[in-house]
Amino acid sequence: MRFEFTQKRAVALAVALAIGTAAHAANPDRDAYFGETHIHTSWSLDAWLFGNRITDPGDAYKYFKGQPIKHPLGYEIKIDTPLDWAGVTDHSEYVGVIKFANDPNSPVSKLPAAQPLKIAPGKPMQEEMERIFVYGVKVLMGGPPVKALASPEIAGTVWKETADLANKANEPGKFTAFCSYEWTSMPNNMNMHRNVFFKDCGKIPSMPFSALDSPFPEDLWTWMDGQRRAGNDLLAISHNANVSDGRMFPTEVDFKGRPIDAAYAASRMRNEPLIELKQIKGTSETHPLLSPNDEFGGFEIMSFLLGDPSGRIPHIVGSYARQALKDGIAMSDTKGFNPYKFGFGAAADSHNTGVGYRQDNWFGAHGAADGMIETRMSGRLTAGMDPRVLGTAGLTGVWAEENTRPALFEAMQRKETFAVSGPRIRVRLFGGWEYTADMLNDTAWVKTGYARGVPMGGDLPPAKGKAPTFVVWAVKDPTSGNLDRIQIVKGWTKNGQSFEKIHDVVWAGDRKADKWTGVVPAVGNTVDVENATYTNTIGAVELKKVWTDPEFDPSLHAFYYARVLEIPTPRWTTIQAKQLGVAPPDVVPPTLQERAWSSPIWYTPSADARKGAQPGTTVAQLKKSGAAPLNDAQLKALIVQKSTWLANNVTGDKYEIVYGASGKSGKPAAPIEPTYVTQQFAANQGQFWLRFVGRKTTLPSMVGNALEASYLSTTAPYYINNGKIVTSQVGTPIEITVYKAGGKYLAARSNEFGYANYEIIPAVAELNPLGPIGTSPKR
Amino acid sequence: MVARLLREPLIQFLFVGLALFGAWHLWSPSAVAHGRAANRIVLTEDDVRQMTLVWVAQGRPAPTAEEMRNLIGTRVREEVLYREALALGLDKDDTIVRRQLARKMEFLAEDVSKLEEPKSGELRAWYDQHKARFALPPRASFRHVYFSPDRRGANAPRDAGAVLGMLAGQPMDAPRAAAAGDPFMFQSYYGDRGFDGVAREFGPSFARALLAAKQGAWTGPIASGYGWHVVFVESVTPERVPDFDEIEPDVKAAWIEYRREDVRSRMYQDMRARYEVVLPEANR
């Protein structure tokens, strides 16, 4: 009988506990526990709108424990590998509105404010659902609170029921269920969402703090501090920075317009130790524009604004974690505080109560909108989102002594966590000064890892050697693809600039890194796109290495995190295209390399070490010495229609920028004039051309793909405005101010924290002077 | 006729349900809806106190007079609009209202079925009929020797076969076994591990093969997501159904769940049987 089958697993699991089968004893070397930090059930307003009407938080826990449940469209869905822990995170805004709207005894169902939520009879269901969703997003989640729909009685009761269901599902040692919810702030379609987790379900407030109380993260943190003082320990995990329109990781002012300072940084780090790096609506690690040298940096990218507002282009700068980590250490260096010292997790954000984590078990995330293979694969836009671009859910891995609320929560607080893109790749990272290459021959190397250094999420102990050593280890998910390689992503900062470099540390097979380029060739590709299959005849089961930073500078702040890549495997769109007998879609790649990211380890130079740092020139110093910034006329005279050589005084790199003519208003010139075409641009707007940037140039943050621009001679627009040369990165302005000081022209970029790092220099004749043949040239 | 109706479970459920709602209406602490005398809206001190409590529970200081006025105003507004909506018949012919009422009929059945206590012996009888659903998954204790494709490539299964031959007749703890194969990143011995746990560690196909393998001797090679293994299954606790006494509370919980479904389904069948449904030609 259908019913019996559904019930069997749940009962068996419950019974197993009752009989007292052995849960594992605490492990001081810690095990990896995989869990879900972001799931919506029918109790979330938007999930209900998507057609999720029948399953509740209790069903979510059943799903995670391995039982099949119903997809909103009525068919069964079942997880491949049960999870170790989870927290259901329904939106706290208007939570229970729909639940109590179904209860005719509730006044909610009779409210005029509920009228726009009603499906108009006679109109097509799908259109009505979308209209209501956009209304929900725009008005309920984006606008001022509709108080009538946000009754505290409703919210408080539902919150208590949520806690009850979590307690029922919680089995210490076997499965941990957290009390949690989502604070869904989305002012002006900018995603500022956070998931809030409580350590102990016995110590929670009677009502969650919702975005209707305040949409400002700063206020959420204030409330959280109050909760902690009252004995309710909690933490928040932000997500979808990629959809925050650049507001998730500000560097100048907070959401209330106040300058970012030590108090902001302390408050943010006290309350938000982790970010959700990857989920169904895209990856927030980095973007190819911000990391042009990261050949794997374009993974499941989705830049978008929820609610799909007309005429707005999402900002890239401020929307990605790696740049935030770099800005964080740059602030640490220049201002003494770091608000972006977070660890990583990954999750779902499915609105189906159940979640698809694997490419071959993907059933959409938004109820009826993408629940059928035909609707998904036809690219039917749901409130502006193409369901083919959505990816599978990720998971958060936590290294803890045991599977209990306190152990997992504390691991999250110390950031000993990692993110996976779906398959359960396990990764360890340790950083220290005394690890030796033969350490990994010892089966108890993990003990040495902990004893002689720090795990992921930690700060390197005080320096005890010339360069830090890192131990990295990863093993594949036994049901997924083999591993390709482990990389370590390093970020560092100097004089307001920040840099990144990706090191291939260990890889499968006998590939060799190219002597001159350093590139490790691709692992290969066994994917048969037509049949949507792959084989594990390439790649490795396990990779591990002890690695030393070859370019370590003890005077500079830095961070390191591990990224593990699988071999290419078919994407769900390729698999479902095969099922339908159609071509794989043209808007996403047919294959992908699933991956894991460890939380970073940070290095902070001691006061002594910092003394070795070469001091840079700050704008403040220039102003003090009487240097004045150039005004518009002086800037024009200096650069327009000139080819100017510049040096980056931090890195020593030299290059040329040609600033073309700006447009003029008035009578057009004759075609024979060189400016004939340029005059079609607006006044003050010209194009600039960057030349002679090579592969070995150490690119600072936010210069776009300078290398490519140099090779391909492509240009970008610039303006002169208010005494600044202005360029932009996808709508985020970068302003350059030029100072004349002692016969030199020095320039400061607005994203370099008050430093003037660039200098106009005489033309360079020889780009790469050769030393004795075979040696690296000196710069 | 009436007597027959009264014996109908559905009618009995309806009476119980109506009685429940009647009682709820009489004694419900929910404030404002009382006294639906046409134009009287009454807020009691308790209502006001509750509003204040909820406000403060969100971590705010006690509401100011202005805030209190707003809270009360909102509440009154709700009630006014609600009554006006009813008077206008806004609840009729409305998709959402129809859906809500249908849901409420289902809630009735659910709530009523919750009241039911199993009669003596009924639970045990039901358990006897549905034993299979309580079966505990099988568990195994085993040692294994691992052969890594990273080190051996395509030779891994052949090497595993060779070691298997070498270990024929050897006990589980034989030193030869400990020295053979490749270091495994997790454990060499697993004690009393359930099917799920083994599947999580090695992959489901290995777990299935393990449980089917010959016990008490070195056997294999068996493939896992990690490579090849020669295994010694020390013991297997087969899938077993616990005795009723061991799991009585779980049986009761499952029985309640089952009854809920059952009642809902039978209630609906009874109701449905009393209707004639006419469909357009094309959909019959």
Side-chain angles (χ1 to χ4, degrees), chain B residues 143-195:
Chain B
R143 184 175 287 283
H144 71 113
V145 180
Y146 171 58
F147 297 85
S148 159
D150 291 350
R151 294 182 184 214
R152 301 166 188 267
N155 290 332
R158 186 204 67 187
D159 294 348
V163 167
L164 179 64
M166 194 243 311
L167 289 176
Q170 293 289 313
M172 187 174 77
D173 292 320
R176 275 198 240 172
D182 301 314
F184 186 64
M185 41 277 192
F186 305 121
Q187 292 162 236
S188 315
Y189 174 77
Y190 288 84
D192 193 38
R193 213 45 85 83
F195 177 88

Side-chain angles (χ1 to χ4, degrees), chain A residues 205-269:
Chain A
S206 49
M207 269 198 43
F209 183 87
S210 85
L212 302 174
D213 297 310
S214 168
F216 296 105
E218 299 80 12
D219 292 339
L220 173 68
W221 304 331
T222 305
W223 176 82
M224 289 175 71
D225 285 338
Q227 286 296 304
R228 212 170 285 113
R229 276 194 295 275
N232 302 339
D233 208 352
L234 73 178
L235 56 81
I237 306 175
S238 65
H239 58 260
N240 273 146
N242 59 322
V243 172
S244 71
D245 202 16
R247 299 307 175 94
M248 189 59 85
F249 303 121
T251 54
E252 289 175 23
V253 295
D254 68 11
F255 223 66
K256 294 187 166 184
R258 306 173 304 201
I260 289 189
D261 58 7
Y264 174 90
S267 181
R268 184 160 186 154
M269 284 321 304

Side-chain angles (χ1 to χ4, degrees), chain B residues 29-278:
Chain B
S30 147
V32 179
H34 288 164
R36 297 224 178 139
N39 296 325
R40 234 170 105 77
I41 297 176
V42 180
L43 282 178
T44 64
E45 274 182 27
D46 270 338
D47 295 326
V48 173
R49 202 171 297 136
Q50 209 197 359
M51 282 189 254
T52 315
L53 269 174
V54 163
W55 176 271
V56 169
Q58 288 193 298
R60 283 186 268 244
T64 63
E66 173 74 26
E67 284 162 346
M68 202 63 234
R69 266 197 295 279
N70 284 338
L71 285 174
I72 292 174
T74 306
R75 196 62 183 278
V76 168
R77 189 182 150 82
E78 262 177 37
E79 182 65 18
V80 166
L81 292 170
Y82 162 61
R83 296 193 193 180
E84 290 295 318
L86 278 187
L88 282 176
L90 285 189
D91 55 336
K92 310 248 184 303
D93 243 356
D94 186 297
T95 320
I96 296 242
V97 172
R98 181 167 59 238
R99 194 174 297 140
Q100 289 164 9
L101 290 176
R103 257 322 245 158
K104 186 180 177 184
M105 285 302 289
E106 294 200 321
F107 284 150
L108 264 182
E110 279 182 24
D111 285 343
V112 167
S113 73
K114 266 194 205 128
L115 294 179
E116 245 186 324
E117 277 292 314
K119 298 192 274 293
S120 117
E122 180 176 3
L123 205 53
R124 192 181 281 272
W126 184 82
Y127 159 84
D128 284 332
Q129 278 184 300
H130 296 96
K131 269 189 180 162
R133 75 173 62 207
F134 297 103
L136 292 174
R139 310 184 64 81
S141 299
F142 65 98
R143 184 175 287 283
H144 71 113
V145 180
Y146 171 58
F147 297 85
S148 159
D150 291 350
R151 294 182 184 214
R152 301 166 188 267
N155 290 332
R158 186 204 67 187
D159 294 348
V163 167
L164 179 64
M166 194 243 311
L167 289 176
Q170 293 289 313
M172 187 174 77
D173 292 320
R176 275 198 240 172
D182 301 314
F184 186 64
M185 41 277 192
F186 305 121
Q187 292 162 236
S188 315
Y189 174 77
Y190 288 84
D192 193 38
R193 213 45 85 83
F195 177 88
D196 262 354
V198 178
R200 232 179 282 220
E201 194 92 314
F202 294 87
S205 61
F206 177 89
R208 279 191 290 271
L210 183 80
L211 289 166
K214 184 173 69 168
Q215 293 178 44
W218 287 102
T219 181
I222 307 179
S224 78
Y226 292 128
W228 291 87
H229 310 256
V230 164
V231 303
F232 191 116
V233 180
E234 187 182 31
S235 66
V236 169
T237 312
E239 191 179 81
R240 80 161 179 111
V241 179
D243 289 335
F244 177 77
D245 299 306
E246 290 179 82
I247 51 162
E248 184 170 348
D250 301 299
V251 175
K252 183 165 179 190
W255 178 83
I256 289 174
E257 188 73 28
Y258 172 83
R259 287 296 289 159
R260 191 154 78 158
E261 271 298 311
D262 192 45
V263 162
R264 216 183 352 195
S265 149
R266 287 197 290 126
M267 233 186 88
Y268 176 69
Q269 292 308 324
D270 278 345
M271 288 190 270
R272 174 71 181 82
R274 292 184 284 112
Y275 287 89
E276 182 198 353
V277 175
V278 179

Side-chain angles (χ1 to χ4, degrees), chain A residues 296 483-487 504 506-507 511 520-522 543 564-565:
Chain A
F296 301 102
L483 301 180
D484 165 14
R485 67 185 74 193
I486 306 182
Q487 305 178 308
D504 289 306
V506 59
W507 51 88
R511 293 171 278 168
V520 172
L543 293 170
V564 185
L565 302 172

Side-chain angles (χ1 to χ4, degrees), chain A residues 111-330:
Chain A
L111 286 175
Q115 303 312 305
L117 297 178
K118 295 183 176 185
I119 296 173
K123 287 233 176 109
M125 182 67 110
Q126 181 72 8
E127 269 176 41
E128 279 295 290
M129 264 178 50
E130 278 192 31
R131 176 188 68 72
I132 294 169
F133 174 74
V134 173
Y135 175 88
V137 164
K138 198 161 149 245
V139 175
L140 294 183
M141 293 178 181
V146 180
K147 292 215 178 91
L149 284 182
S151 160
E153 292 91 59
I154 300 173
T157 313
V158 172
W159 177 235
K160 183 177 175 310
E161 284 194 43
T162 306
D164 286 344
L165 287 169
N167 282 328
K168 255 210 284 197
N170 192 43
E171 303 173 67
K174 302 198 102 216
F175 184 92
T176 296
F178 282 105
C179 283
S180 49
Y181 74 97
E182 178 172 341
W183 175 82
T184 315
S185 160
M186 219 169 60
N188 287 327
N189 306 88
M190 298 163 174
N191 180 105
M192 303 303 293
H193 304 178
R194 266 91 170 158
N195 291 117
V196 180
F197 279 73
F198 291 89
K199 181 173 187 175
D200 181 347
C201 279
K203 300 208 166 85
I204 57 177
S206 49
M207 269 198 43
F209 183 87
S210 85
L212 302 174
D213 297 310
S214 168
F216 296 105
E218 299 80 12
D219 292 339
L220 173 68
W221 304 331
T222 305
W223 176 82
M224 289 175 71
D225 285 338
Q227 286 296 304
R228 212 170 285 113
R229 276 194 295 275
N232 302 339
D233 208 352
L234 73 178
L235 56 81
I237 306 175
S238 65
H239 58 260
N240 273 146
N242 59 322
V243 172
S244 71
D245 202 16
R247 299 307 175 94
M248 189 59 85
F249 303 121
T251 54
E252 289 175 23
V253 295
D254 68 11
F255 223 66
K256 294 187 166 184
R258 306 173 304 201
I260 289 189
D261 58 7
Y264 174 90
S267 181
R268 184 160 186 154
M269 284 321 304
R270 196 166 48 239
N271 291 295
E272 291 189 3
L274 301 179
I275 67 163
E276 183 182 290
L277 193 66
K278 196 260 183 186
Q279 56 131 275
I280 280 159
K281 296 196 304 298
T283 311
S284 299
E285 182 201 2
T286 190
H287 188 282
L289 282 175
L290 297 174
S291 300
N293 294 334
D294 183 354
E295 66 180 296
F296 301 102
F299 178 72
E300 302 287 281
I301 296 289
M302 183 167 153
S303 186
F304 178 68
L305 292 173
L306 291 175
D308 202 24
S310 306
R312 279 182 50 199
I313 302 171
H315 289 88
I316 303 282
V317 172
S319 297
Y320 290 89
R322 194 186 295 167
Q323 186 59 50
L325 289 169
K326 292 194 292 184
D327 287 333
I329 54 173

